[in-house]
Amino acid sequence: MTHETRSTARADAFPGSHKVFVKLEHQGERMEVPKRRIHLSGGEASIDVYDASGPRSFSASEGLPGLRQPWIDARRSGPADTGNRTQMHYARRGITTPEMAFVAEREGVTSEFVRSEIARGRAVLPANTHHPELEPMIIGRNFLVKVNANIGNSVVRSSIDDEVEKLRWATRWGADTVMDLSTGADIHETREVILRNSPVPIGTVPIYQALEKVGGTIEDLSFEVFLETIEEQCEQGVDYFTIHAGVLLRYVPLTRERVTGIVSRGGAILAKWCLAHHEENFLYANFDRLCEVMKRYDVAFSLGDGLRPGCIADANDDAQFAELDTLGELTRRAWEHDVQVMIEGPGHVPMHKIRENVERQMQVCDEAPFYTLGPLTTDIAPGYDHITSAIGAAMIGWYGTAMLCYVTPKEHLGLPNKQDVKDGVIAYKIAAHAADLAKSHPGAQAWDDALSKARFEFRWEDQFNLSLDPQTAREYHDEMLPAEGAKTSHFCSMCGPQFCSMRITEELREYARSAGLSDAEALKEGLAQKGSEFIETGGEIYR
Amino acid sequence: MTHETRSTARADAFPGSHKVFVKLEHQGERMEVPKRRIHLSGGEASIDVYDASGPRSFSASEGLPGLRQPWIDARRSGPADTGNRTQMHYARRGITTPEMAFVAEREGVTSEFVRSEIARGRAVLPANTHHPELEPMIIGRNFLVKVNANIGNSVVRSSIDDEVEKLRWATRWGADTVMDLSTGADIHETREVILRNSPVPIGTVPIYQALEKVGGTIEDLSFEVFLETIEEQCEQGVDYFTIHAGVLLRYVPLTRERVTGIVSRGGAILAKWCLAHHEENFLYANFDRLCEVMKRYDVAFSLGDGLRPGCIADANDDAQFAELDTLGELTRRAWEHDVQVMIEGPGHVPMHKIRENVERQMQVCDEAPFYTLGPLTTDIAPGYDHITSAIGAAMIGWYGTAMLCYVTPKEHLGLPNKQDVKDGVIAYKIAAHAADLAKSHPGAQAWDDALSKARFEFRWEDQFNLSLDPQTAREYHDEMLPAEGAKTSHFCSMCGPQFCSMRITEELREYARSAGLSDAEALKEGLAQKGSEFIETGGEIYR
């Protein structure tokens, strides 16, 4: 395993950063693992951070290079190929794949640890063999907390180009996976272009396309149509499917006293189908057949929470937890096929009911990774639900949720535009990083410390460059102090020079340095002398 | 105690709302307690919410009416006047003041409960006798969680008019108190205009003005200058003072290994003074003399956390907790004078270290109300610190913090403009309400339930009007569906009509209604019948 780097400019969103690549060799396969290196001034060491943005693609029609293709081909043509091609299948047989080695480098852990977590089912590495463009990543509570961004058109508007641009935009700001929730015309073509241009795993909700195939009439859905749909999407390279197999016929009446009923689109579709046919949910009834298809491509399940609460009043109710029990049962069935599984969670939950969600999920689903939407911690702020939900997301991440599905300011009101996507991703990068800190993830705090040290030392450029959104930080600073000199001045417009606490503290320490004393000695010295002597030496005490 | 209402239009920020007044009579004093009534459509009952916005003022020079003047005059001329005029003084002698009655109506509790919490020191009612324009409010963990907004110019810029406009703007969006942190010229005049126009308590940090009085040279500060300053500000009507009396000489060396040293402006000033004079902090040494002045006007202490952590690395360290111990000692000294006290808290704290802050504060300070700045849960997002800190604020509010000092997107970068003030207040109203929900505050959830019910029933106008920021919610919706008809349509642009889960759930329930069945019976019925029969009856099952 050799470490070398080459770098490309990242002047677009992250001035002062370069993309660097760690060169690895894993059992004869070569790979380059990307990181973002933030260069600092004043002799400070640069800092490397996780980078999900992928290679720059020059045109959507060309797509990204297929970095995983050799690894996939080698496995497929090898003697060990049984037709089951999941990372879990390999992991359980003691095989460390190149994907696992790639992920280990990204996360700063050993390949063996990655393998064991996947084998245990406590982490998923979503990587369809038909999506070679993917840069492998992992989702599990013993790794960095991840963020998913939803994109996708609806019948109301938006084009394929819009969606590809949203994909690039979301990954630029740090989305670790992207779900394509398109429901309108061009659903196949949109997905194709997204996959060929995506360095991150792509998830979908196949019931949407299945419903299009039967002309939008829920009662006409059938397992056969669904199966055809997932085979089509498996072939295209989708990495994980949200499948609402836990919405059982007998659970539907449990939603009847709810304030907001069923708020999952997929959940509502399946509930209606179950009642209309008075039959059990065809996804539940045919679950093993889904596994048979998905294991050939290594598509992971994201078992959908079709009965998640849609408001504070409905949180943690019988419908939600009954479905969760079934998701636990299905987790074990999928694992029998070595198919990877994560579990979706709510939604809308007040803070004091969040922990129970994680603890029950871990117990019932045997620690399969939890993947939650927010949760929103109040219902009263439409237009600001990236904030109401970032609160819940940070907390649920701390408690053990592996991936956080973002919520944008447009939630409940309309489709997100580009600015909304960015606002949603950044709010969720904050939540995920706050969770990493609270979990004492090794290395997480180095980023905070580097920024705080830059702040204390008035290295303004470094402070901007270390932030999640350097451009915005710089603009906010420059709004009042636009002069270039203000980027090195020892105050900002918030307090002005006279009242800058950091400047005053710096003066205290400067005294120590100029007197040739250590800080400790200087302060001891200072405390020992008479104050009046200090005053006699000049206006500023510590210099 | 009679309840009548009169209303005024509130069409500016809150269309669909009216301000209503509950008329009270308390021991011969008449008063009108404001609430905001949100009117709903579809036969739904209106909902009343807390309203801190105050009377409309027509010109800054005219100021607001002095609603408390008769109460203040009556007490001052009464036989019981001892020169100690604090609400705590009255409360401990069993006297329920008109201010307490006013607060009780606002909070939906009894006057006796308000009195007992103030007497116990577990709540403060900041209300300087020279600030008759104030609408009384209470800060304590058994009441609604409150939000403070900081305004104030610095030497770098902004005018008196700007600051008054920020005051009005902050209270319009829900700030419960406002701190005037002005430090430039016109400090006296700015404060005067703010007080005469403020319906909410105004807090200040008097050391800033004291420092101006000695020409900005920290070493020249003295207790005499400070005393003169607070007497001036007491006369003007400031309701609470941040006083950094806990920054003791011996604690200063504890900050020397910190990443960001001392980040409180007041804390840094006092630390430098202590070292320069090698004397104990003059605020600590003369604390009883401060109490003597403050009790004559009823100005509350907000005991400042001059040694709060300024970054994740410094959270919960020895310096911070040493100062907290001293704040506990000072709390008991202030209470001996019947002077009201709240305790300021951090700052920057990762999520897993937040609870300890509240538990220690309650224990050490004998449950005096906690008043925290955020805390920010990560340092890596300058430009978004209203979000990094709303996460911490919601959690610390849940754990028992009584008031949350807002942080705007400009934190660390510059002075907030009007939009920043609004963004900060709304992020903190979210945090405070999420905390009220998590504490199961009686009545808090009614607001969420009303909004969620409106959402489920596609009462779009009601959904907008119930939100913290109706205009923004409406604009986001209208961005894609501007037509008037879309305000009554049973879908939005997020999912489109075909995939709207709420619409599908509604269809299920509509069937029940049209069939004359209760929901429960309908679903039972639905489950009992053969699915095929449903399909034969038409395309849509439940209608």
Side-chain angles (χ1 to χ4, degrees):
Chain A
M1 189 158 122
T2 60
H3 286 257
E4 289 173 34
T5 62
R6 69 181 165 79
S7 62
T8 53
R10 300 275 305 153
D12 45 354
F14 298 102
S17 288
H18 282 77
K19 184 174 281 223
V20 298
F21 295 90
V22 179
K23 287 193 178 179
L24 287 187
E25 193 175 322
H26 178 79
Q27 299 170 352
E29 300 288 354
R30 290 183 175 192
M31 62 190 81
E32 297 188 326
V33 181
K35 300 189 177 179
R36 179 161 66 89
R37 178 160 294 170
I38 309 170
H39 299 277
L40 304 178
S41 64
E44 291 287 321
S46 62
I47 180 168
D48 289 351
V49 299
Y50 195 100
D51 186 350
S53 65
R56 190 182 299 269
S57 91
F58 293 97
S59 78
S61 57
E62 195 180 318
L64 299 179
L67 89 94
R68 291 170 62 230
Q69 200 61 57
W71 316 341
I72 295 163
D73 292 344
R75 283 196 295 262
R76 190 182 293 262
S77 60
D81 186 54
T82 61
N84 185 325
R85 298 176 181 123
T86 73
Q87 295 288 325
M88 187 180 221
H89 178 80
Y90 301 124
R92 285 178 160 182
R93 279 149 196 81
I95 299 167
T96 307
T97 63
E99 284 86 349
M100 295 172 201
F102 190 101
V103 157
E105 176 61 38
R106 280 188 126 168
E107 299 273 348
V109 297
T110 66
S111 303
E112 171 52 24
F113 182 69
V114 172
R115 188 203 62 73
S116 68
E117 289 291 290
I118 294 172
R120 169 68 184 75
R122 198 153 50 201
V124 302
L125 194 166
N128 187 324
T129 56
H130 287 212
H131 184 199
E133 300 87 352
L134 178 76
E135 292 179 342
M137 54 78 71
I138 196 161
I139 301 163
R141 71 184 160 92
N142 292 319
F143 301 93
L144 290 164
V145 174
K146 302 304 187 298
V147 170
N148 172 70
N150 292 335
I151 61 172
N153 55 4
S154 77
V155 296
V156 178
R157 88 152 206 200
S158 87
S159 71
I160 292 180
D161 284 348
D162 284 350
E163 297 312 312
V164 173
E165 182 51 29
K166 275 188 206 162
L167 162 73
R168 288 184 185 153
W169 187 242
T171 55
R172 170 183 298 183
W173 295 111
D176 295 288
T177 80
V178 165
M179 292 195 75
D180 172 19
L181 303 185
S182 295
T183 55
D186 306 327
I187 190 168
H188 182 98
E189 292 70 20
T190 302
R191 192 166 49 234
E192 185 65 27
V193 180
I194 285 175
L195 276 160
R196 298 292 73 79
N197 287 279
S198 179
V200 300
I202 296 294
T204 63
V205 187
I207 198 81
Y208 300 166
Q209 190 182 7
L211 187 56
E212 308 264 0
K213 290 190 181 198
V214 296
T217 307
I218 291 172
E219 298 82 342
D220 291 348
L221 281 168
S222 66
F223 181 67
E224 287 63 38
V225 170
F226 190 84
L227 197 64
E228 177 193 309
T229 305
I230 68 162
E231 282 175 339
E232 172 188 335
Q233 296 196 16
C234 283
E235 278 291 320
Q236 285 189 292
V238 172
D239 301 289
Y240 63 90
F241 291 147
T242 293
I243 294 203
H244 300 93
V247 180
L248 302 191
L249 181 59
R250 66 180 180 276
Y251 298 157
V252 180
L254 298 177
T255 66
R256 78 180 166 236
E257 299 293 335
R258 281 181 159 185
V259 172
T260 54
I262 299 174
V263 297
S264 150
R265 291 192 249 174
I269 292 166
L270 269 305
K272 191 168 177 185
W273 187 93
C274 287
L275 288 185
H277 290 267
H278 193 56
E279 277 178 25
E280 195 47 278
N281 181 332
F282 58 78
L283 299 172
Y284 177 84
N286 297 282
F287 192 74
D288 291 305
R289 291 179 65 191
L290 296 177
C291 295
E292 291 294 344
V293 175
M294 288 163 72
K295 70 187 177 190
R296 286 192 283 122
Y297 298 87
D298 194 10
V299 177
F301 278 108
S302 185
L303 292 175
D305 55 337
L307 304 181
R308 69 168 171 268
C311 63
I312 292 296
D314 295 344
N316 295 22
D317 72 354
D318 289 347
Q320 182 193 337
F321 285 143
E323 183 187 34
L324 184 62
D325 289 342
T326 299
L327 299 187
E329 176 198 328
L330 295 172
T331 298
R332 288 178 286 278
R333 275 167 68 184
W335 284 353
E336 285 170 19
H337 295 269
D338 292 343
V339 175
Q340 303 188 89
V341 179
M342 54 188 171
I343 308 293
E344 295 185 8
H348 292 241
V349 186
M351 284 189 286
H352 63 303
K353 294 186 177 179
I354 290 178
R355 188 189 284 271
E356 184 185 6
N357 276 275
V358 183
E359 289 178 349
R360 274 183 100 119
Q361 186 274 338
M362 281 191 201
Q363 188 196 344
V364 167
C365 300
D366 212 9
E367 303 186 55
F370 203 22
Y371 165 30
T372 62
L373 176 72
L376 285 71
T377 53
T378 168
D379 301 337
I380 65 168
Y384 297 83
D385 279 331
H386 60 311
I387 299 178
T388 65
S389 68
I391 295 167
M395 291 176 68
I396 210 164
W398 170 29
Y399 296 148
T401 293
M403 186 157 75
L404 308 170
C405 181
Y406 86 169
V407 171
T408 79
K410 288 280 168 57
E411 184 74 16
H412 300 118
L413 298 169
L415 271 183
N417 61 25
K418 237 176 116 172
Q419 184 61 41
D420 298 321
V421 168
K422 178 181 170 186
D423 286 345
V425 171
I426 288 182
Y428 273 69
K429 293 301 281 184
I430 289 169
H433 186 74
D436 289 335
L437 287 178
K439 288 162 71 177
S440 303
H441 187 95
Q445 198 185 310
W447 192 347
D448 299 74
D449 292 352
L451 192 142
S452 292
K453 192 157 185 283
R455 177 174 288 156
F456 186 68
E457 293 172 358
F458 299 101
R459 288 183 275 113
W460 287 99
E461 294 287 351
D462 289 352
Q463 190 183 158
F464 303 149
N465 292 341
L466 282 160
S467 79
L468 286 180
D469 180 3
Q471 201 63 39
T472 296
R474 175 189 302 272
E475 282 169 15
Y476 284 1
H477 174 271
D478 289 1
E479 209 172 279
M480 288 203 192
L481 294 171
E484 210 41 48
K487 307 290 197 312
T488 52
S489 70
H490 285 201
F491 64 92
C492 72
S493 62
M494 233 183 137
C495 307
Q498 181 80 1
F499 286 93
C500 179
S501 61
M502 294 201 178
R503 182 194 170 113
I504 297 171
T505 307
E506 190 197 39
E507 286 167 6
L508 293 171
R509 295 189 179 178
E510 180 58 35
Y511 164 74
R513 279 190 292 274
S514 66
L517 304 169
S518 74
D519 276 9
E521 286 166 338
L523 285 161
K524 202 168 140 197
E525 181 90 352
L527 290 169
Q529 289 185 46
K530 291 271 181 299
S532 56
E533 295 170 21
F534 282 85
I535 291 170
E536 284 156 16
T537 65
E540 291 293 344
I541 292 314
Y542 286 118
R543 74 177 181 204
Chain B
M1 188 159 122
T2 61
H3 286 256
E4 288 174 35
T5 64
R6 68 181 165 79
S7 61
T8 54
R10 298 277 307 154
D12 46 355
F14 298 103
S17 287
H18 282 77
K19 185 174 280 226
V20 298
F21 295 89
V22 179
K23 287 193 178 179
L24 287 188
E25 194 174 321
H26 177 78
Q27 299 172 352
E29 300 289 354
R30 291 183 175 191
M31 61 189 82
E32 298 189 325
V33 180
K35 300 190 175 176
R36 181 162 64 90
R37 177 161 294 170
I38 309 170
H39 299 277
L40 304 178
S41 64
E44 290 288 322
S46 61
I47 179 168
D48 289 350
V49 298
Y50 194 99
D51 187 349
S53 66
R56 191 183 299 269
S57 91
F58 292 96
S59 78
S61 56
E62 195 179 321
L64 299 178
L67 89 91
R68 292 171 59 232
Q69 199 61 58
W71 317 340
I72 294 163
D73 292 343
R75 285 196 293 262
R76 191 181 292 261
S77 60
D81 186 52
T82 62
N84 186 327
R85 297 173 181 127
T86 73
Q87 295 289 325
M88 188 180 220
H89 178 80
Y90 301 124
R92 286 178 160 182
R93 280 149 193 81
I95 298 167
T96 306
T97 63
E99 285 86 347
M100 296 174 200
F102 191 101
V103 157
E105 175 61 37
R106 281 188 125 169
E107 298 273 348
V109 296
T110 65
S111 303
E112 172 51 24
F113 182 70
V114 172
R115 189 203 59 75
S116 67
E117 289 291 290
I118 294 171
R120 168 69 183 75
R122 198 152 51 199
V124 301
L125 194 167
N128 186 325
T129 55
H130 287 212
H131 185 199
E133 301 88 351
L134 177 78
E135 291 178 343
M137 55 79 69
I138 196 162
I139 301 164
R141 70 183 161 89
N142 292 319
F143 301 94
L144 289 164
V145 175
K146 302 304 187 298
V147 170
N148 173 71
N150 291 335
I151 61 171
N153 56 3
S154 77
V155 294
V156 178
R157 85 153 208 201
S158 88
S159 70
I160 293 180
D161 283 349
D162 283 351
E163 297 312 312
V164 172
E165 182 52 29
K166 276 188 204 161
L167 163 74
R168 288 184 184 152
W169 187 243
T171 55
R172 170 183 297 182
W173 296 111
D176 295 289
T177 78
V178 166
M179 290 195 77
D180 173 19
L181 303 185
S182 296
T183 55
D186 305 328
I187 192 169
H188 183 97
E189 293 69 21
T190 304
R191 191 166 51 235
E192 184 65 28
V193 180
I194 285 175
L195 276 160
R196 299 292 74 79
N197 285 279
S198 179
V200 301
I202 296 294
T204 63
V205 187
I207 197 79
Y208 300 166
Q209 190 182 5
L211 187 56
E212 309 263 0
K213 291 190 182 199
V214 295
T217 306
I218 291 172
E219 296 83 342
D220 291 347
L221 281 168
S222 66
F223 181 67
E224 287 61 39
V225 170
F226 190 83
L227 198 65
E228 176 193 310
T229 306
I230 68 163
E231 282 176 340
E232 172 187 335
Q233 296 196 15
C234 282
E235 278 291 319
Q236 284 190 293
V238 172
D239 302 289
Y240 62 91
F241 291 146
T242 293
I243 294 204
H244 300 92
V247 180
L248 301 192
L249 181 60
R250 66 180 180 275
Y251 298 157
V252 180
L254 299 176
T255 65
R256 77 180 168 235
E257 299 293 332
R258 280 182 158 184
V259 172
T260 54
I262 299 175
V263 297
S264 151
R265 291 192 250 174
I269 293 166
L270 269 304
K272 193 169 177 185
W273 188 93
C274 288
L275 288 185
H277 291 266
H278 192 56
E279 277 178 25
E280 195 48 279
N281 183 332
F282 59 76
L283 299 172
Y284 178 84
N286 298 282
F287 192 74
D288 291 304
R289 290 179 64 191
L290 296 176
C291 295
E292 292 294 344
V293 175
M294 288 163 71
K295 70 187 177 191
R296 285 193 281 123
Y297 298 87
D298 195 9
V299 178
F301 278 107
S302 184
L303 291 175
D305 54 337
L307 303 181
R308 68 169 171 269
C311 64
I312 292 296
D314 296 343
N316 295 22
D317 72 354
D318 289 346
Q320 183 193 336
F321 286 144
E323 183 186 33
L324 184 62
D325 288 341
T326 300
L327 300 187
E329 176 198 327
L330 295 172
T331 299
R332 287 178 286 277
R333 275 167 67 185
W335 285 352
E336 284 170 19
H337 296 269
D338 292 345
V339 175
Q340 305 189 87
V341 179
M342 54 187 172
I343 308 292
E344 297 186 6
H348 292 241
V349 186
M351 284 189 286
H352 63 303
K353 294 187 177 178
I354 291 177
R355 188 189 283 272
E356 184 185 6
N357 277 275
V358 183
E359 289 178 349
R360 275 183 99 117
Q361 186 274 338
M362 281 191 202
Q363 189 197 341
V364 167
C365 301
D366 212 8
E367 303 185 58
F370 204 22
Y371 165 32
T372 63
L373 176 71
L376 285 72
T377 55
T378 167
D379 301 337
I380 66 169
Y384 297 83
D385 280 331
H386 60 312
I387 300 179
T388 65
S389 68
I391 294 167
M395 292 175 69
I396 210 164
W398 170 30
Y399 296 147
T401 294
M403 184 156 77
L404 308 170
C405 181
Y406 86 169
V407 170
T408 79
K410 288 278 168 58
E411 185 74 14
H412 300 118
L413 299 168
L415 271 183
N417 62 25
K418 235 177 119 171
Q419 184 61 41
D420 298 321
V421 168
K422 178 181 170 186
D423 286 345
V425 171
I426 288 182
Y428 273 69
K429 293 302 282 185
I430 289 168
H433 187 73
D436 289 335
L437 287 177
K439 289 162 72 179
S440 303
H441 187 95
Q445 198 185 307
W447 193 348
D448 299 76
D449 292 352
L451 191 143
S452 293
K453 191 159 188 281
R455 178 174 286 156
F456 186 69
E457 293 172 359
F458 299 100
R459 288 182 277 114
W460 287 99
E461 294 286 351
D462 289 352
Q463 191 184 155
F464 304 148
N465 292 342
L466 282 159
S467 78
L468 285 180
D469 180 4
Q471 200 63 38
T472 296
R474 175 189 302 270
E475 280 168 16
Y476 284 1
H477 174 271
D478 289 1
E479 209 174 280
M480 289 202 191
L481 294 171
E484 212 37 50
K487 306 292 196 312
T488 53
S489 71
H490 285 200
F491 64 94
C492 72
S493 59
M494 232 185 139
C495 307
Q498 182 81 0
F499 286 92
C500 179
S501 61
M502 292 203 179
R503 185 194 168 112
I504 298 171
T505 308
E506 188 196 41
E507 287 168 6
L508 293 169
R509 295 189 179 178
E510 179 57 34
Y511 164 74
R513 279 191 292 275
S514 65
L517 302 170
S518 74
D519 276 7
E521 287 166 337
L523 285 160
K524 201 168 141 196
E525 180 89 352
L527 291 169
Q529 289 184 47
K530 290 272 182 297
S532 57
E533 294 170 21
F534 282 84
I535 291 170
E536 284 159 14
T537 65
E540 292 293 346
I541 292 313
Y542 285 117
R543 74 176 181 205

